[in-house]
Amino acid sequence: MNYLVSIIIPVYKTEKYIEACLQSALAQTIAEYDSSQTIEIIVVDDGSPDQSIERIQPFLFSHPNVRLLRQENSGQSAARNHAITVAQGEYLYFLDSDDLLPHNAIEALYQLAKQTGSEVIIAQSKAFNKNRSWFIEDHAEVASSAFRQVNFNDQPILVKTTPPWAKLYKTEMIRQHAIRFPEGIGLAEDWIFVLHALSQANHISTTPDITYLYRGRNDVDNLSCTQQVNHKVFHDLMQVYQLTKKFSLPAEHQRLAKYFIIKSLLHRLLKLAKSCSLDTALPTYQVLATFLKIETKSEDWAVLSEHAKLVLDLLSHDLYLAAHHAAQHRYKMAWLTGTGNVLPATLFSRYQTTYKHTRFLPLKRIKKRVQSSLTLSAWRIKYQFAKILAGLYPKNGKIILIGERLGKTANDTSYHFFKHCQEDDSTQAQYFYTIQRHAPTRKKIHSYRNIVDYGSLKHFILFHRASAYVFSDNMRDIFRQWKRVHAEHAHKKKIFLQHGIFALNRAKGYYDRHSMEQRGERPDCFVVSSEFEKTLVCNQFDFQEEEVVVTGLSRFDNLPTTRSQPSGAILMLFTWREWLEKMSPEAFEQSDYCQKIVELIHHPMLRQMHAQHGLKITLCLHHKMAQYVQHLPIIENVRIVSMSDSDIQHHIIQADLMITDYSSAAFDMLYQNKPVIFYWFDHQAFFAKRGGPLIHPTQDMHDSIAYHCENALNLVQEAIQHQFNITQIQRAWAQEFFSHKDQNHSQRIKNKLQQLL
């Protein structure tokens, strides 16, 4: 029988996981057919000594499309190669026996393969463990690019997608070019298979759909190959680098390949230094030093941290003692000067500077621990005292505690919901809003009752007395030490209002059901704006349908549903980049993020349009950017405000056009049928960090996205010419996100909360 897809699963010592793995594979469907008709599952027993095969046997009897191949223990590569020779599927898919497939994973890949004709399809993957889930940056960057029919040599970032999983391969292409996994290598050997397949494919397409769930495990008695640290691991990585050379990669591809190997070696080098003595590690250090001197230059390490660069530099100069201790953040000038080697002045200076900066770190750490201990003790006393006081109050009526952004603002969905509850005379429960005493936006709610200082004794008492919590970001909006006390309050209802429609940002897996559950934050009610967004949240964040409620966002209540006469107001609103945090002002000024914003507001095209049309331009800065405001040039006719101390919604209502990157505030504009220009000057890096979008932007939003400043300003010019009317294409895809357009969003949320109570 010929199948559409063959799923290949090598098995070795995964008895704890193989059943769940097989169940996830058998749950796959393609074009409404069940897996028995379309998907072949080939399990390869690589001489597994545990009970894995016994766990597999029942599947063989009940599912005719599950096949078992057996071999003596020869390694994962040999097992995969064995399966490739007998696979009957039109396409191949590789699944590790401790990992899982999400719902509809194979169908998403297969449909894209048929649409594009690409011989390799690459998708998004998500990692998870018992505590959290996250996205792997390099994989996310490639998948989120949503390439269509691209050539490998034209896209260097394809080198970054190293594992064979979360990919679909045309079987005929694999066999025609004799593409196989190198045997005898235990780590990163599958990357060679991937590079070979990518280089031979007619073209490649990628998708942000999540089609693989990678289990991050740390079984003490059965470490995965990616967690092992021994001499062979380093030898394997260096051998893999040599194998990459056979593909004659373009220069940028080879640079990225080298960087991947350097990062992998460094990661394990730091582990090695902490886990064994210098004498044990010395043979490995010597081999590494030779590799670094022959195959790399210091420029290859330029983007690494200062600590990493110093360790590699010491190693490449045969300073094994200093490198061994530097890897553990320990420094002594004697380890450097006692070698008798002639050192480059720059290396000596960097080591000396690091030594001076770190010599008192142990004392500073002790001081910090003492201060933290005292602060925690004071908090515990206050918490327990508040608990006693809370018990003295009569238990009449329900108390709902509301907060946002760690008590720093009254701007977003929590504020708008509280405002509605305070103005609604039919309210029976008591709604309290907690906010820091000196928060700039507190003035917006000073006339309302039930305002509580965040962190005060009254706040602690109300936290104990509350029947429900309403938050827009995380439960620290309600109580800063939530992590320490969540188990005690797990029985209370939690309403997650979110602070913007989920479409362009997976937020690094922060809001998926598993991650929120591990933080004790899984909501009883996850508020969304439409049935379409509900489907996204259920499919991609793994929430159950009954946990997600379509009410619309509370802040939409204040948005007008009819447009006023355009006044030429343009609002620029850019989201923050977490990799900019703790950056010096000088470094921030040189960052691509700052440079792109400055280029936009300073561009001659924008100034010309302002002169011709009398534009009113407002640049609204993220609250974390406030410390860098003075480093932005003062541009005449561009008003700069901060979202931490201004009414964002007022600016959104006044604006005729928004220029943003990935802000969910774009949907507040689209709700009003106002045009939005998405200026994605760093989309690959951003999506790599955040896990990519939930939708397919290049399909749904193609007329709204600009990747260069001039393109963005051309779209501004078009908007002006069309009197700031939204395009039909943008209006059509935006409407999927709004099931309600009225002033009753908060009331629907309130009704749902009352049902829960």
Side-chain angles (χ1 to χ4, degrees):
M1 178 178 181
N2 291 326
Y3 294 91
L4 300 181
V5 176
S6 294
I7 299 177
I8 295 172
I9 309 175
V11 177
Y12 184 77
K13 294 177 69 174
T14 52
E15 61 182 14
K16 292 197 295 186
Y17 312 109
I18 184 60
E19 290 173 293
C21 174
L22 282 171
Q23 287 165 357
S24 73
L26 287 165
Q28 301 299 310
T29 60
I30 297 179
E32 300 180 356
Y33 296 102
D34 65 37
S35 61
S36 66
Q37 298 172 293
T38 57
I39 300 173
E40 172 189 38
I41 301 173
I42 304 176
V43 181
V44 187
D45 171 25
D46 186 33
S48 184
D50 63 357
Q51 298 297 308
S52 293
I53 303 308
E54 284 74 9
R55 305 284 169 85
I56 294 168
Q57 291 292 347
F59 292 93
L60 300 176
F61 295 121
S62 56
H63 299 280
N65 60 320
V66 179
R67 301 171 60 188
L68 176 63
L69 306 180
R70 310 197 72 160
Q71 64 181 40
E72 292 184 2
N73 180 236
S74 306
Q76 185 169 244
S77 289
R80 287 169 171 164
N81 290 338
H82 187 180
I84 289 172
T85 62
V86 301
Q88 300 177 48
E90 181 185 2
Y91 293 91
L92 302 176
Y93 186 91
F94 297 98
L95 172 62
D96 287 353
S97 56
D98 54 350
D99 296 335
L100 302 171
L101 294 181
H103 185 62
N104 286 338
I106 299 299
E107 180 166 24
L109 289 162
Y110 182 80
Q111 295 297 345
L112 183 56
K114 287 303 178 183
Q115 290 168 15
T116 61
S118 295
E119 291 178 334
V120 177
I121 304 295
I122 302 173
Q124 174 67 293
S125 55
K126 184 165 71 172
F128 71 97
N129 59 24
K130 64 179 181 179
N131 298 318
R132 65 187 183 101
S133 61
W134 67 98
F135 294 97
I136 303 168
E137 288 185 17
D138 288 344
H139 306 181
E141 181 177 0
V142 174
S144 299
S145 296
F147 292 132
R148 290 295 180 270
Q149 300 176 325
V150 298
N151 185 278
F152 175 59
N153 286 344
D154 296 334
Q155 297 293 341
I157 69 166
L158 290 172
V159 171
K160 294 184 175 184
T161 178
T162 56
W165 33 258
K167 299 176 178 68
L168 202 64
Y169 307 87
K170 186 80 169 180
T171 306
E172 182 182 3
M173 182 267 295
I174 295 296
R175 289 175 175 163
Q176 179 183 348
H177 297 285
I179 301 172
R180 296 294 186 271
F181 292 86
E183 298 184 20
I185 303 176
L187 183 65
E189 81 292 347
D190 43 15
W191 184 37
I192 298 302
F193 175 91
V194 173
L195 288 177
H196 196 177
L198 293 175
S199 65
Q200 295 297 336
N202 60 347
H203 42 71
I204 300 144
S205 295
T206 73
T207 172
D209 287 325
I210 299 171
T211 68
Y212 199 89
L213 301 176
Y214 171 82
R215 188 189 303 273
R217 61 186 177 92
N218 191 23
D219 300 347
V220 176
D221 59 342
N222 184 23
L223 290 175
S224 68
C225 62
T226 56
Q227 296 165 319
Q228 295 176 8
V229 178
N230 52 46
H231 186 76
K232 186 179 185 306
V233 165
F234 292 92
H235 178 270
D236 285 350
L237 284 169
M238 289 182 280
Q239 187 177 354
V240 164
Y241 177 70
Q242 298 303 325
L243 290 175
T244 66
K245 295 180 179 180
K246 74 176 184 179
F247 301 117
S248 301
L249 298 173
E252 181 61 12
H253 292 61
Q254 193 64 49
R255 185 190 71 80
L256 290 174
K258 185 186 297 184
Y259 180 62
F260 168 74
I261 294 296
I262 290 172
K263 280 201 309 180
S264 300
L265 289 169
L266 177 67
H267 173 68
R268 287 157 182 84
L269 169 63
L270 299 179
K271 281 189 172 184
L272 180 70
K274 293 177 182 177
S275 63
C276 64
S277 67
L278 174 61
D279 289 341
T280 303
L282 187 58
T284 300
Y285 290 163
Q286 291 170 334
V287 172
L288 273 175
T290 301
F291 174 81
L292 291 172
K293 284 182 278 192
I294 294 175
E295 298 291 352
T296 71
K297 300 176 182 178
S298 57
E299 305 90 80
D300 298 326
W301 320 334
V303 295
L304 296 174
S305 68
E306 290 302 317
H307 172 246
K309 286 188 284 189
L310 181 59
V311 172
L312 293 178
D313 216 353
L314 291 168
L315 207 57
S316 66
H317 285 85
D318 301 326
L319 298 168
Y320 305 124
L321 177 62
H324 181 73
H325 288 290
Q328 303 169 68
H329 296 279
R330 297 204 298 258
Y331 307 90
K332 283 186 181 179
M333 294 306 298
W335 294 334
L336 197 66
T337 57
T339 62
N341 294 356
V342 178
L343 303 179
T346 53
L347 175 57
F348 183 87
S349 175
R350 283 166 51 217
Y351 189 91
Q352 187 177 47
T353 301
T354 304
Y355 167 70
K356 289 179 179 178
H357 286 169
T358 58
R359 61 190 301 187
F360 296 114
L361 274 182
L363 290 176
K364 290 179 180 178
R365 291 193 187 105
I366 292 172
K367 180 181 178 182
K368 188 175 181 179
R369 285 196 206 101
V370 171
Q371 290 174 335
S372 297
S373 178
L374 292 173
T375 301
L376 184 59
S377 296
W379 168 81
R380 283 177 172 149
I381 292 170
K382 186 176 181 179
Y383 178 80
Q384 294 299 331
F385 182 53
K387 185 177 181 179
I388 294 170
L389 293 179
L392 300 178
Y393 284 85
K395 292 182 169 53
N396 53 343
K398 301 290 185 181
I399 290 177
I400 290 85
L401 190 57
I402 306 170
E404 70 182 34
R405 295 192 181 278
L406 281 76
K408 295 178 180 178
T409 67
N411 251 343
D412 215 325
T413 49
S414 290
Y415 155 70
H416 285 284
F417 178 66
F418 172 74
K419 179 173 176 286
H420 169 82
C421 294
Q422 288 294 300
E423 295 172 354
D424 181 7
D425 294 335
S426 66
T427 298
Q428 296 180 353
Q430 296 185 70
Y431 292 83
F432 288 84
Y433 193 90
T434 179
I435 186 170
Q436 293 179 10
R437 178 175 296 181
H438 301 295
T441 52
R442 181 170 175 145
K443 59 182 180 289
K444 294 168 62 176
I445 54 174
H446 76 277
S447 61
Y448 293 118
R449 63 187 185 279
N450 295 347
I451 308 301
V452 185
D453 290 347
Y454 188 91
S456 65
L457 180 61
K458 183 178 180 180
H459 175 205
F460 276 54
I461 294 171
L462 287 169
F463 175 74
H464 282 291
R465 294 183 63 203
S467 303
Y469 305 123
V470 179
F471 62 104
S472 63
D473 189 11
N474 61 63
M475 274 299 297
R476 294 175 70 207
D477 296 343
I478 302 297
F479 196 71
R480 194 173 191 88
Q481 297 287 352
W482 172 255
K483 183 179 179 180
R484 298 182 185 278
V485 301
H486 69 84
E488 185 179 348
H489 301 272
H491 62 286
K492 299 179 180 180
K493 301 301 181 183
K494 293 180 285 295
I495 310 296
F496 178 48
L497 299 181
Q498 62 162 301
H499 53 276
I501 288 175
F502 282 105
L504 303 179
N505 184 358
R506 286 196 179 105
K508 298 193 293 187
Y510 190 78
Y511 296 111
D512 66 86
R513 192 177 192 272
H514 177 69
S515 294
M516 295 188 83
E517 194 159 36
Q518 293 306 312
R519 298 194 303 270
E521 295 180 355
R522 180 173 62 80
D524 299 277
C525 177
F526 190 126
V527 167
V528 296
S529 61
S530 68
E531 291 294 338
F532 179 66
E533 189 187 10
K534 178 176 181 176
T535 300
L536 292 176
V537 168
C538 290
N539 289 347
Q540 302 211 33
F541 291 172
D542 299 322
F543 277 89
Q544 305 299 315
E545 286 195 13
E546 60 272 15
E547 295 172 326
V548 184
V549 57
V550 181
T551 61
L553 303 192
S554 58
R555 71 186 191 211
F556 290 168
D557 281 343
N558 281 22
L559 296 176
T561 54
T562 58
R563 291 197 57 184
S564 57
Q565 186 68 23
S567 63
I570 296 178
L571 176 62
M572 299 180 181
L573 183 65
F574 296 97
T575 54
W576 184 241
R577 310 293 191 269
E578 58 266 30
W579 58 87
L580 297 175
E581 292 183 17
K582 299 182 180 179
M583 186 176 281
S584 69
E586 295 75 21
F588 175 79
E589 193 171 356
Q590 296 301 315
S591 69
D592 188 57
Y593 178 78
C594 181
Q595 293 289 321
K596 292 297 184 183
I597 293 176
V598 170
E599 179 189 19
L600 179 66
I601 63 178
H602 199 62
H603 201 282
M605 285 179 64
L606 186 63
R607 285 186 289 181
Q608 183 179 1
M609 284 186 279
H610 175 271
Q612 290 178 346
H613 305 286
L615 301 179
K616 303 171 185 176
I617 304 170
T618 300
L619 172 62
C620 184
L621 303 178
H622 191 277
H623 60 89
K624 290 186 178 179
M625 195 174 169
Q627 60 181 310
Y628 302 114
V629 171
Q630 65 271 26
H631 295 276
L632 292 174
I634 298 175
I635 306 295
E636 188 179 359
N637 304 317
V638 176
R639 181 188 177 201
I640 299 179
V641 300
S642 172
M643 63 172 58
S644 61
D645 55 14
S646 62
D647 188 341
I648 305 302
Q649 192 171 70
H650 170 76
H651 295 300
I652 290 173
I653 293 172
Q654 294 298 313
D656 299 308
L657 168 72
M658 176 183 284
I659 303 175
T660 186
D661 43 11
Y662 319 98
S663 174
S664 61
F667 289 94
D668 296 58
M669 291 289 289
L670 296 169
Y671 181 91
Q672 304 172 76
N673 290 321
K674 295 178 180 180
V676 177
I677 295 168
F678 295 93
Y679 180 25
W680 286 4
F681 53 83
D682 64 346
H683 64 290
Q684 290 180 339
F686 182 85
F687 287 143
K689 294 284 186 182
R690 295 295 187 92
L694 282 76
I695 60 174
H696 293 257
T698 54
Q699 296 177 28
D700 303 327
M701 305 163 49
H702 60 87
D703 72 324
S704 311
I705 302 173
Y707 299 101
H708 305 285
C709 185
E710 289 77 10
N711 300 139
L713 293 173
N714 285 334
L715 291 176
V716 173
Q717 185 67 59
E718 290 178 17
I720 294 172
Q721 291 171 356
H722 291 89
Q723 299 182 324
F724 296 103
N725 286 313
I726 190 172
T727 67
Q728 290 301 316
I729 294 175
Q730 190 171 73
R731 182 196 295 267
W733 75 258
Q735 291 313 306
E736 290 189 296
F737 289 94
F738 308 115
S739 290
H740 305 283
K741 279 201 171 183
D742 53 31
Q743 275 73 49
N744 298 319
H745 304 82
S746 293
Q747 185 59 47
R748 282 187 287 270
I749 297 170
K750 184 179 174 185
N751 292 342
K752 181 62 180 178
L753 176 56
Q754 290 173 342
Q755 291 174 19
L756 291 173
L757 295 175

